[in-house]
Amino acid sequence: MKKIMLTGIKPTGNLTLGNYIGVLKHLKDYQDEYESYIFIADLHALTLPIDPKILNQNTRDIVAFYLASGLDFNKSHIFLQSSVSEHAELNSIMINYLYMGELSRMTQFKEKSKNMNYSAIGLGLFAYPVLMASDIILYDADIVPVGEDQRQHVELTRDLVRRFNSRYNTDVLKEPKAIVNKTGKRIMSLSDPLKKMSKSDPKGDIYLKDDEKTIRKKIMSAVTDSDCKIIYDKENKPGISNLLTIYSSLKDISIEEAEKEFENANYGTFKRAVADAVVNELLPFQERYNQIINSNLINEALIKGRDAAKIKANAKLKEIQKVVGLYEIKQ
Ligand code: AQP
């Protein structure tokens, strides 16, 4: 039997190079070996205010980007989180097994809520990891490919699984493993390389829909330093280190190989090479996206994905309901 892979992206904004290098680029590599469940985390997108029209557009976009990245919806189940109601149902069970202390220590929660008035922080933002754990648990996922920033939430899911299984003396929940790719773990903002490149924070982003001129301009003006050496040193040279990460990820080489390639280069030459690498990767990708975005493939993929996901998720939900003692009405 094939192992199970699950991953998702929130439709909170235009996808960035961070989303692409961190996770999107690698998904097609799993679809032959793993039974793959790949979803659009639209319920998660509601955890911060979002214009309904934009949410709709972003959702379509992500499906098109999934397909443009080489995912085949006859092999991978691509679906909307909101179209499989078991996610929300399991969430209302699992919310009882994670603790306020744990949730308040999550980096993403701390970052997203730091400028908010405490009494006006939505419960959904606070309890985000509970829904994410439910997403993972429903499919018995063995692996969850994510960027480095989401590793903490997968670790919390593992804690939840152990706690739940031990409390009920069962092995009904499977412990998932986060898979973070070697290079490209965390792509940082080009204007502030100490901050993650994030789709909901437009400063220093490269968007997957940016045209060639914009991409080149953004990379050529990326913040670096005045030391003129192209070496990886995250602490003292975060800008150059970020560009090395981007370059090595797109070229599928190690950071050391990238450093060697630019041993005698100046920053201008290096940045031009990074821009070439990004443009060469994104232009063909955008072409595929343009062919898909207004086609019927989006709906076709989502119907097929929903139907397959629903079967798996419903069976798991029933098992869990039984374990916690929810009464099953005999028909
Ligand atoms: N900068 C990044 N570098 C590497 N990987 C990244 N990911 C996100 N940003 C980077 C990975 O992309 C996947 C989808 O992310 P998500 O939409 O589920 O949530 P996120 O991590 O919160 O992504 P964003 O872009 O920062 O969204 P907003 O701004 O809405 O919070 C995940 O696997 C993530 O690790």
Side-chain angles (χ1 to χ4, degrees):
M1 223 167 60
K2 281 185 177 176
K3 288 199 163 187
I4 295 170
M5 179 277 251
L6 173 126
T7 197
I9 299 182
K10 286 189 303 231
T12 39
N14 281 322
L15 292 199
T16 69
L17 189 65
N19 299 127
Y20 182 78
I21 291 178
V23 73
L24 191 54
K25 169 177 155 64
H26 311 278
L27 294 182
K28 63 176 183 314
D29 303 338
Y30 294 97
Q31 65 185 352
D32 288 319
E33 200 184 327
Y34 287 83
E35 186 181 334
S36 302
Y37 291 87
I38 298 172
F39 65 102
I40 295 89
D42 50 357
L43 293 175
H44 279 293
L46 296 173
T47 51
L48 285 173
I50 183 163
D51 179 327
K53 281 203 199 81
I54 304 236
L55 174 55
N56 244 267
Q57 179 54 46
N58 291 344
T59 301
R60 271 188 83 80
D61 264 1
I62 295 184
V63 184
F65 279 133
Y66 275 149
L67 296 174
S69 76
L71 287 173
D72 172 353
F73 65 83
N74 291 308
K75 291 183 184 169
S76 300
H77 309 302
I78 299 173
F79 62 100
L80 302 180
Q81 185 185 31
S82 64
S83 72
V84 179
S85 57
E86 284 77 1
H87 289 250
E89 289 182 68
L90 185 59
N91 181 62
S92 65
I93 295 178
M94 287 304 149
I95 205 154
N96 301 299
Y97 304 91
L98 279 173
Y99 304 143
M100 309 267 286
E102 290 169 321
L103 295 175
S104 63
R105 283 194 292 277
M106 292 293 109
T107 310
Q108 179 174 283
F109 172 70
K110 286 199 274 191
E111 274 176 13
K112 291 206 184 285
S113 62
K114 75 173 170 230
N115 295 324
M116 292 166 83
N117 174 353
Y118 183 79
S119 55
I121 297 172
L123 264 184
L125 184 65
F126 184 67
Y128 179 107
V130 183
L131 182 56
M132 180 161 161
S134 306
D135 300 335
I136 297 171
I137 287 168
L138 270 180
Y139 298 92
D140 278 337
D142 292 284
I143 60 160
V144 185
V146 282
E148 181 66 39
D149 59 316
Q150 290 287 347
R151 184 201 287 275
Q152 197 184 30
H153 290 158
V154 181
E155 289 305 321
L156 190 63
T157 305
R158 290 163 65 87
D159 292 344
L160 167 67
V161 165
R162 286 194 289 268
R163 181 176 300 157
F164 184 97
N165 282 349
S166 140
R167 180 167 317 173
Y168 293 100
N169 195 18
T170 172
D171 57 2
V172 68
L173 305 189
K174 186 181 266 180
E175 246 183 80
K177 191 164 175 263
I179 302 284
V180 178
N181 294 294
K182 287 198 295 295
T183 50
K185 284 179 177 170
R186 198 164 202 244
I187 303 301
M188 310 306 277
S189 155
L190 296 181
S191 59
D192 178 359
L194 297 176
K195 267 180 64 189
K196 187 183 91 152
M197 187 182 282
S198 235
K199 58 177 128 58
S200 59
D201 181 4
K203 287 189 292 306
D205 275 4
I206 289 185
Y207 291 114
L208 299 187
K209 286 195 202 170
D210 279 346
D211 61 26
E212 176 169 355
K213 202 167 151 213
T214 310
I215 295 172
R216 289 191 185 278
K217 196 165 160 219
K218 286 181 176 175
I219 293 179
M220 294 313 288
S221 51
V223 167
T224 51
D225 51 62
S226 53
D227 156 75
C228 292
K229 284 198 196 81
I230 300 165
I231 47 170
Y232 189 87
D233 176 352
K234 238 172 136 180
E235 220 162 276
N236 300 308
K237 297 169 71 66
I240 288 294
S241 303
N242 191 33
L243 292 176
L244 276 168
T245 303
I246 294 174
Y247 186 80
S248 60
S249 305
L250 294 178
K251 292 281 189 176
D252 278 326
I253 58 173
S254 67
I255 296 272
E256 293 74 24
E257 285 170 308
E259 281 176 330
K260 204 154 179 35
E261 202 177 320
F262 296 103
E263 219 167 15
N264 300 314
N266 60 35
Y267 281 5
T269 310
F270 173 52
K271 282 180 166 179
R272 265 190 297 281
V274 177
D276 286 343
V278 175
V279 164
N280 289 340
E281 182 91 12
L282 290 192
L283 291 196
F285 182 64
Q286 290 174 353
E287 229 168 86
R288 293 194 293 279
Y289 161 89
N290 286 330
Q291 285 161 5
I292 296 164
I293 188 66
N294 290 318
S295 78
N296 200 34
L297 287 176
I298 305 233
N299 249 12
E300 245 182 88
L302 290 179
I303 292 171
K304 208 158 192 271
R306 176 200 62 198
D307 293 349
K310 183 108 192 142
I311 294 171
K312 183 99 181 159
N314 191 264
K316 192 78 215 176
L317 178 67
K318 289 239 159 70
E319 268 186 84
I320 297 169
Q321 286 172 331
K322 195 166 171 198
V323 167
V324 299
L326 297 181
Y327 191 82
E328 190 189 0
I329 304 168
K330 305 276 181 290
Q331 298 297 335

Coordinates of all heavy atoms in Angstrom, one line a residue, residues 143-183:
I143 N 3.5 11.8 5.6 CA 4.4 12.9 5.4 C 3.6 14.2 5.1 O 2.6 14.1 4.4 CB 5.5 12.7 4.4 CG1 4.9 12.4 3.0 CG2 6.4 11.5 4.8 CD1 6.0 12.6 1.9
V144 N 4.2 15.3 5.5 CA 3.6 16.6 5.2 C 4.7 17.5 4.7 O 5.4 18.1 5.5 CB 2.9 17.2 6.5 CG1 2.2 18.5 6.2 CG2 2.0 16.2 7.2
P145 N 4.8 17.7 3.4 CA 5.8 18.6 2.9 C 5.4 20.1 3.2 O 4.3 20.5 2.9 CB 5.9 18.4 1.4 CG 5.1 17.1 1.2 CD 4.1 17.0 2.3
V146 N 6.3 20.8 3.9 CA 6.0 22.2 4.3 C 7.3 23.0 4.2 O 8.4 22.4 4.2 CB 5.4 22.3 5.7 CG1 4.0 21.9 5.8 CG2 6.3 21.5 6.7
G147 N 7.2 24.3 4.2 CA 8.3 25.2 4.4 C 8.7 25.1 5.9 O 7.9 24.7 6.7
E148 N 9.9 25.6 6.2 CA 10.4 25.5 7.6 C 9.4 26.2 8.6 O 9.2 25.7 9.7 CB 11.8 26.3 7.6 CG 12.4 26.3 9.0 CD 12.9 24.9 9.5 OE1 13.3 24.1 8.7 OE2 12.7 24.7 10.7
D149 N 8.7 27.3 8.1 CA 7.8 28.0 9.0 C 6.7 27.2 9.5 O 6.1 27.5 10.6 CB 7.3 29.3 8.3 CG 6.5 28.9 7.0 OD1 7.0 28.1 6.2 OD2 5.4 29.5 6.8
Q150 N 6.3 26.2 8.8 CA 5.1 25.4 9.3 C 5.5 24.1 10.0 O 4.7 23.4 10.5 CB 4.3 24.9 8.1 CG 3.5 26.1 7.4 CD 2.3 26.6 8.2 OE1 1.9 25.9 9.2 NE2 1.8 27.7 7.9
R151 N 6.8 23.9 10.2 CA 7.3 22.7 10.9 C 6.8 22.6 12.3 O 6.3 21.5 12.8 CB 8.8 22.6 10.9 CG 9.4 21.4 11.5 CD 10.8 21.5 12.0 NE 11.8 21.6 10.9 CZ 12.3 20.5 10.3 NH1 12.0 19.3 10.7 NH2 13.2 20.7 9.4
Q152 N 6.7 23.7 13.0 CA 6.3 23.8 14.4 C 4.8 23.3 14.5 O 4.5 22.6 15.5 CB 6.4 25.2 14.9 CG 6.3 25.3 16.4 CD 6.3 26.8 16.8 OE1 5.8 27.7 16.1 NE2 6.9 27.0 18.0
H153 N 4.0 23.6 13.5 CA 2.6 23.1 13.6 C 2.5 21.6 13.4 O 1.6 20.9 13.9 CB 1.7 23.8 12.5 CG 1.5 25.3 12.8 ND1 1.2 26.2 11.9 CD2 1.6 26.0 14.0 CE1 1.1 27.4 12.4 NE2 1.3 27.3 13.7
V154 N 3.4 21.1 12.5 CA 3.4 19.6 12.3 C 3.9 18.9 13.6 O 3.3 17.9 14.0 CB 4.2 19.2 11.1 CG1 4.1 17.7 10.9 CG2 3.7 19.9 9.8
E155 N 4.9 19.5 14.3 CA 5.4 19.0 15.5 C 4.3 19.0 16.6 O 4.1 18.0 17.3 CB 6.6 19.8 16.1 CG 7.8 19.6 15.3 CD 8.3 18.2 15.1 OE1 8.2 17.4 16.1 OE2 8.7 17.8 14.0
L156 N 3.5 20.0 16.6 CA 2.4 20.1 17.5 C 1.3 19.0 17.2 O 0.7 18.4 18.1 CB 1.7 21.5 17.5 CG 0.7 21.8 18.6 CD1 1.4 21.7 20.0 CD2 0.0 23.1 18.4
T157 N 1.1 18.7 15.9 CA 0.2 17.7 15.6 C 0.7 16.3 16.1 O -0.1 15.5 16.6 CB 0.1 17.6 14.0 OG1 -0.3 18.9 13.5 CG2 -0.9 16.5 13.6
R158 N 2.0 16.1 16.0 CA 2.6 14.9 16.6 C 2.3 14.8 18.1 O 2.0 13.7 18.6 CB 4.1 14.8 16.3 CG 4.4 14.6 14.8 CD 5.8 15.0 14.5 NE 6.8 14.1 15.1 CZ 7.2 13.0 14.6 NH1 6.8 12.5 13.5 NH2 8.1 12.2 15.3
D159 N 2.5 15.9 18.8 CA 2.2 15.9 20.2 C 0.7 15.5 20.5 O 0.4 14.7 21.4 CB 2.4 17.3 20.8 CG 3.9 17.6 20.8 OD1 4.7 16.8 20.6 OD2 4.2 18.9 21.0
L160 N -0.1 16.1 19.7 CA -1.6 15.9 19.8 C -1.9 14.4 19.6 O -2.6 13.8 20.3 CB -2.3 16.7 18.8 CG -3.8 16.4 18.6 CD1 -4.6 16.7 19.9 CD2 -4.4 17.2 17.5
V161 N -1.3 13.8 18.5 CA -1.5 12.4 18.2 C -1.1 11.5 19.4 O -1.9 10.6 19.8 CB -0.8 12.0 16.9 CG1 -0.7 10.5 16.7 CG2 -1.4 12.7 15.7
R162 N 0.1 11.8 19.9 CA 0.5 10.9 21.0 C -0.4 11.1 22.3 O -0.7 10.1 22.9 CB 2.0 11.3 21.4 CG 3.0 10.8 20.4 CD 4.4 10.9 20.9 NE 4.9 12.2 21.0 CZ 5.5 12.9 20.0 NH1 5.8 12.2 18.9 NH2 5.9 14.1 20.2
R163 N -0.8 12.3 22.5 CA -1.6 12.6 23.7 C -3.0 11.9 23.5 O -3.5 11.2 24.5 CB -1.8 14.1 23.8 CG -2.7 14.5 25.0 CD -2.7 16.1 25.0 NE -1.4 16.6 25.2 CZ -1.1 17.9 24.8 NH1 -2.0 18.7 24.3 NH2 0.1 18.4 25.0
F164 N -3.5 12.0 22.4 CA -4.9 11.4 22.1 C -4.8 9.9 22.2 O -5.6 9.3 22.9 CB -5.4 11.9 20.7 CG -6.8 11.5 20.4 CD1 -7.9 12.3 20.6 CD2 -7.0 10.2 19.9 CE1 -9.1 11.9 20.3 CE2 -8.3 9.8 19.5 CZ -9.4 10.6 19.8
N165 N -3.8 9.3 21.5 CA -3.7 7.9 21.5 C -3.5 7.3 22.9 O -4.0 6.3 23.2 CB -2.6 7.4 20.5 CG -2.9 7.5 19.1 OD1 -4.1 7.7 18.7 ND2 -2.0 7.4 18.2
S166 N -2.7 8.0 23.6 CA -2.4 7.5 25.0 C -3.6 7.7 25.9 O -3.9 6.8 26.6 CB -1.1 8.3 25.5 OG -1.3 8.6 26.8
R167 N -4.3 8.8 25.7 CA -5.5 9.0 26.6 C -6.6 7.9 26.3 O -7.2 7.4 27.2 CB -6.1 10.3 26.3 CG -7.4 10.5 27.2 CD -7.9 11.9 27.4 NE -7.0 13.0 27.5 CZ -7.4 14.2 27.5 NH1 -8.6 14.5 27.3 NH2 -6.5 15.2 27.6
Y168 N -6.7 7.5 25.1 CA -7.8 6.5 24.8 C -7.2 5.1 24.6 O -7.9 4.2 24.1 CB -8.5 6.9 23.5 CG -9.4 8.2 23.8 CD1 -8.9 9.4 23.4 CD2 -10.6 8.1 24.5 CE1 -9.6 10.6 23.6 CE2 -11.3 9.2 24.8 CZ -10.8 10.4 24.3 OH -11.6 11.6 24.6
N169 N -5.9 4.9 24.8 CA -5.2 3.7 24.7 C -5.5 3.0 23.3 O -6.0 1.9 23.2 CB -5.6 2.7 25.8 CG -4.7 1.5 25.9 OD1 -3.6 1.6 25.4 ND2 -5.2 0.5 26.6
T170 N -5.2 3.8 22.3 CA -5.5 3.4 20.9 C -4.3 3.8 20.0 O -3.4 4.5 20.4 CB -6.8 4.1 20.5 OG1 -7.0 3.9 19.1 CG2 -6.7 5.6 20.6
D171 N -4.4 3.3 18.8 CA -3.4 3.8 17.8 C -4.2 4.4 16.6 O -3.7 4.3 15.5 CB -2.4 2.8 17.4 CG -3.0 1.5 16.8 OD1 -4.3 1.5 16.7 OD2 -2.3 0.6 16.5
V172 N -5.4 4.9 16.9 CA -6.3 5.4 15.8 C -5.6 6.5 15.0 O -5.9 6.6 13.8 CB -7.7 5.7 16.3 CG1 -7.6 6.9 17.2 CG2 -8.7 5.9 15.2
L173 N -4.8 7.4 15.7 CA -4.3 8.5 15.0 C -2.8 8.2 14.5 O -2.1 7.6 15.3 CB -4.3 9.8 15.8 CG -5.6 10.2 16.4 CD1 -5.5 11.6 17.1 CD2 -6.7 10.2 15.4
K174 N -2.5 8.6 13.3 CA -1.1 8.3 12.9 C -0.2 9.6 13.0 O -0.7 10.7 12.8 CB -1.2 8.0 11.4 CG 0.2 7.5 10.8 CD 0.1 7.2 9.4 CE 0.0 5.7 9.2 NZ -0.1 5.4 7.7
E175 N 1.0 9.3 13.5 CA 1.9 10.5 13.7 C 2.5 10.9 12.3 O 3.2 10.1 11.7 CB 3.1 10.0 14.6 CG 3.1 10.7 15.9 CD 4.3 10.3 16.7 OE1 5.4 10.8 16.5 OE2 4.1 9.4 17.6
P176 N 2.3 12.1 11.9 CA 2.9 12.5 10.6 C 4.3 13.0 10.8 O 4.8 13.3 11.9 CB 2.0 13.7 10.3 CG 1.6 14.3 11.6 CD 1.6 13.2 12.6
K177 N 5.0 13.1 9.7 CA 6.4 13.6 9.7 C 6.4 14.9 8.8 O 5.9 14.8 7.6 CB 7.3 12.5 9.2 CG 8.7 12.8 9.4 CD 9.5 11.4 9.1 CE 11.0 11.7 9.2 NZ 11.6 11.9 8.0
A178 N 7.0 15.9 9.2 CA 7.2 17.1 8.4 C 8.3 16.9 7.4 O 9.4 16.4 7.9 CB 7.4 18.4 9.2
I179 N 8.2 17.2 6.2 CA 9.3 17.1 5.2 C 9.7 18.5 4.8 O 8.8 19.2 4.1 CB 8.9 16.3 4.0 CG1 8.4 14.9 4.4 CG2 10.0 16.2 3.0 CD1 9.5 13.9 4.8
V180 N 10.8 18.9 5.2 CA 11.3 20.3 4.7 C 12.5 20.1 3.8 O 13.4 19.3 4.1 CB 11.7 21.1 6.0 CG1 12.3 22.5 5.5 CG2 10.6 21.3 6.9
N181 N 12.4 20.7 2.6 CA 13.4 20.5 1.6 C 14.8 21.0 2.0 O 14.8 22.0 2.8 CB 13.0 21.1 0.3 CG 11.8 20.3 -0.2 OD1 11.8 19.2 -0.5 ND2 10.6 21.0 -0.2
K182 N 15.8 20.4 1.5 CA 17.2 20.7 1.9 C 17.5 22.2 1.7 O 17.9 22.9 2.7 CB 18.2 19.9 1.0 CG 18.3 18.5 1.2 CD 19.6 17.9 0.6 CE 19.6 18.0 -0.9 NZ 18.7 17.2 -1.7
T183 N 17.3 22.7 0.5 CA 17.6 24.1 0.3 C 16.2 24.7 0.2 O 15.2 24.1 0.2 CB 18.3 24.3 -1.1 OG1 17.6 23.6 -2.0 CG2 19.7 23.9 -1.0

